[in-house]
Amino acid sequence: DQQVKQNSPSLSVQEGRISILNCDYTNSMFDYFLWYKKYPAEGPTFLISISSIKDKNEDGRFTVFLNKSAKHLSLHIVPSQPGDSAVYFCAASPNNNAGNMLTFGGGTRLMVKP
Amino acid sequence: DAGVTQSPTHLIKTRGQQVTLRCSPKSGHDTVSWYQQALGQGPQFIFQYYEEEERQRGNFPDRFSGHQFPNYSSELNVNALLLGDSALYLCASSLFGTGGAPPQHFGDGTRLSIL
């Protein structure tokens, strides 16, 4: 029973264009959502987060959108750069307490072509 | 400022053996969580330690156990290893009770292979 799903295992985008990564969740108790980026042989690194009281959060080239009624969130990267090529995981938590267990999706491998 | 460190980086064991993985949290953090990442999947929560006690546990059997020491470092022990235990084991640290960013910080993991 996957509570967090990333239905696209991979995505290929041209440098300079927009990358859109999607994530769906089923558990209504989730109230806080995060995106992590993972390079090979490294641990996941935090990218951006959003609380359910918001529908959008921006940080530089990265924007996360949350549609709570649809239980859907997306990460937009504009413009995409070759260095953005990595596996992206969305994760969910019952609240924004940093110590809470995170429930992760299966990941989307983003490839940005020069 | 040292981040989360894990040891060893790689480990090869055979079925039925026991293994211990180690984690030192980021400086200033007091909570350690362990995750298992199987190939091609996202990390799955195993358990969390705070104040030397297991506070939360995911859907993992009792073969998985842990410990936290007074200096906040932690160990993950797995007994009676199965082929399915082959995975990347990630340790994440955080400061208990803090809200918002920065969230959990992850180490680079220990790659465990079971033959």
Side-chain angles (χ1 to χ4, degrees), chain A residues 32 34 36 38 41-46 49 87 89 96-107, chain B residues 33 35 37 40-43 45 48 56 88 90 94-95 97-104 106-108:
Chain A
Y32 187 64
L34 309 91
Y36 278 83
K38 188 179 186 299
E42 294 183 13
T45 54
F46 170 72
S49 63
V87 178
F89 293 100
N96 68 353
N97 185 329
N100 271 337
M101 65 170 278
L102 299 176
T103 302
F104 283 86
Chain B
S33 300
Y35 292 81
Q37 186 182 8
Q41 297 180 24
F45 178 78
Q48 179 189 83
Q56 299 181 69
L88 179 69
L90 293 162
S94 55
L95 184 61
T98 55
Q104 296 180 30
F106 284 82
D108 289 340

Side-chain angles (χ1 to χ4, degrees), chain A residues 2-112:
Chain A
Q2 269 191 294
Q3 297 186 65
V4 179
K5 287 185 183 179
Q6 294 176 254
N7 290 319
S8 299
S10 65
L11 175 67
S12 182
V13 169
Q14 205 67 34
E15 180 180 6
R17 306 295 285 268
I18 184 171
S19 295
I20 301 176
L21 295 92
N22 294 303
C23 179
D24 297 294
Y25 63 97
T26 57
N27 191 336
S28 301
M29 297 302 293
F30 290 143
D31 212 39
Y32 187 64
F33 304 89
L34 309 91
W35 285 92
Y36 278 83
K37 178 169 75 172
K38 188 179 186 299
Y39 293 119
E42 294 183 13
T45 54
F46 170 72
L47 205 53
I48 192 169
S49 63
I50 188 166
S51 167
S52 63
I53 62 173
K54 294 185 173 181
D55 55 16
K56 176 182 173 181
N57 188 26
E58 271 182 274
D59 185 1
R61 296 185 298 115
F62 303 91
T63 303
V64 57
F65 295 91
L66 175 64
N67 182 333
K68 201 173 176 185
S69 61
K71 293 190 177 66
H72 176 82
L73 59 153
S74 61
L75 174 68
H76 292 210
I77 307 173
V78 183
S80 302
Q81 299 173 355
D84 296 329
S85 297
V87 178
Y88 289 77
F89 293 100
C90 70
S93 175
N95 56 56
N96 68 353
N97 185 329
N100 271 337
M101 65 170 278
L102 299 176
T103 302
F104 283 86
T108 296
R109 181 177 301 278
L110 174 65
M111 292 162 284
V112 180

Side-chain angles (χ1 to χ4, degrees), chain B residues 18-104:
Chain B
Q18 178 263 344
V19 69
T20 298
L21 311 182
R22 294 175 176 83
C23 172
S24 291
K26 178 179 167 65
S27 178
H29 285 182
D30 57 8
T31 304
V32 173
S33 300
W34 287 92
Y35 292 81
Q36 180 196 66
Q37 186 182 8
L39 199 61
Q41 297 180 24
Q44 270 197 293
F45 178 78
I46 303 174
F47 45 52
Q48 179 189 83
Y49 277 84
Y50 170 66
E51 290 188 328
E52 302 180 46
E53 287 188 12
E54 182 182 294
R55 297 286 174 164
Q56 299 181 69
R57 189 177 183 94
N59 189 23
F60 279 81
D62 292 344
R63 298 188 298 108
F64 290 77
S65 63
H67 188 77
Q68 186 179 35
F69 299 94
N71 67 353
Y72 309 120
S73 67
S74 176
E75 287 181 351
L76 163 66
N77 302 293
V78 187
N79 294 323
L81 286 166
L82 303 173
L83 292 178
D85 296 331
S86 295
L88 179 69
Y89 288 84
L90 293 162
C91 170
S93 73
S94 55
L95 184 61
F96 190 83
T98 55
Q104 296 180 30

